[in-house]
Amino acid sequence: MFAAKMANDIYGCSILLYNAFDSIFTSQVGTSVFSDVDSRRRIAESALQNLKIDMAMVTSAPVAILAEEGHLISNMEKLCQLQNMDLIIMGITGSTRLDQILMGSNTLHVIQQEICPVMIIPPDAQYRKINTAIFASDFKDVEATTHIKTLRKLLDI
């Protein structure tokens, strides 16, 4: 709900709830099982639709859903370019503090690819209007590694 509440503070903001799924998944006993892609898509869309309904209770921003087969990183790269996205918001799903420190591999991969700025939200985080931003740097090749236009755009938002 963090993203939904945040969207209320951003004029003209819209939200896209996204899920990328593979055509092969592992069953609970550890064996690979092929699944019908259409069935997996319907399941993912149903879950996203339920989340969309919950979000509609806390935001007036338009919320869309998209579930598609494929690799998360390559799908996100294409999607961010096509939709001209400003920010990716991802949650940390780890239940223990160590899991949260290590973060999920999907979150780390999205950050490493520099697809789009990423905001990582811990499970119990409560949204409060953002009034202050901090930019951290290791001062190594700052000009090449700092996306000034992206930072300015986010700060303007």
Side-chain angles (χ1 to χ4, degrees):
M1 291 302 133
F2 189 98
K5 291 177 181 177
M6 184 175 164
N8 287 330
D9 287 338
I10 304 171
Y11 177 77
C13 178
S14 62
I15 299 171
L16 174 63
L17 300 174
Y18 181 74
N19 180 265
F21 58 89
D22 293 321
S23 57
I24 301 174
F25 69 98
T26 305
S27 73
Q28 292 186 3
V29 292
T31 59
S32 292
V33 177
F34 288 89
S35 176
D36 174 37
V37 173
D38 290 331
S39 295
R40 297 220 44 222
R41 180 177 287 109
R42 283 192 301 275
I43 291 167
E45 286 173 346
S46 178
L48 291 173
Q49 186 64 33
N50 289 337
L51 182 55
K52 178 180 176 177
I53 290 166
D54 291 343
M55 291 178 100
M57 293 182 201
V58 296
T59 189
S60 58
V63 180
I65 64 169
L66 177 60
E68 61 183 352
E69 178 186 19
H71 183 257
L72 176 67
I73 301 301
S74 57
N75 285 9
M76 290 287 289
E77 285 175 330
K78 292 174 195 169
L79 185 62
C80 286
Q81 289 174 356
L82 288 172
Q83 298 291 326
N84 196 25
M85 292 185 179
D86 296 315
L87 181 66
I88 296 171
I89 298 177
M90 296 182 76
I92 299 173
T93 58
S95 58
T96 68
R97 189 76 173 142
L98 181 60
D99 289 339
Q100 292 174 19
I101 290 169
L102 298 176
M103 289 188 243
S105 60
N106 284 336
T107 303
L108 289 175
H109 285 102
V110 170
I111 292 168
Q112 290 168 345
Q113 293 303 314
E114 297 182 14
I115 297 168
C116 179
V118 179
M119 180 180 283
I120 303 166
I121 310 301
D124 297 327
Q126 297 297 314
Y127 176 74
R128 291 186 312 240
K129 186 172 180 153
I130 299 169
N131 294 314
T132 305
I134 297 172
F135 173 70
S137 175
D138 61 6
F139 296 110
K140 295 179 183 173
D141 202 11
V142 175
E143 193 170 321
T145 60
T146 305
H147 304 280
I148 295 296
K149 288 180 183 178
T150 304
L151 283 172
R152 285 189 178 147
K153 186 174 182 179
L154 285 173
L155 291 173
D156 287 343
I157 291 171

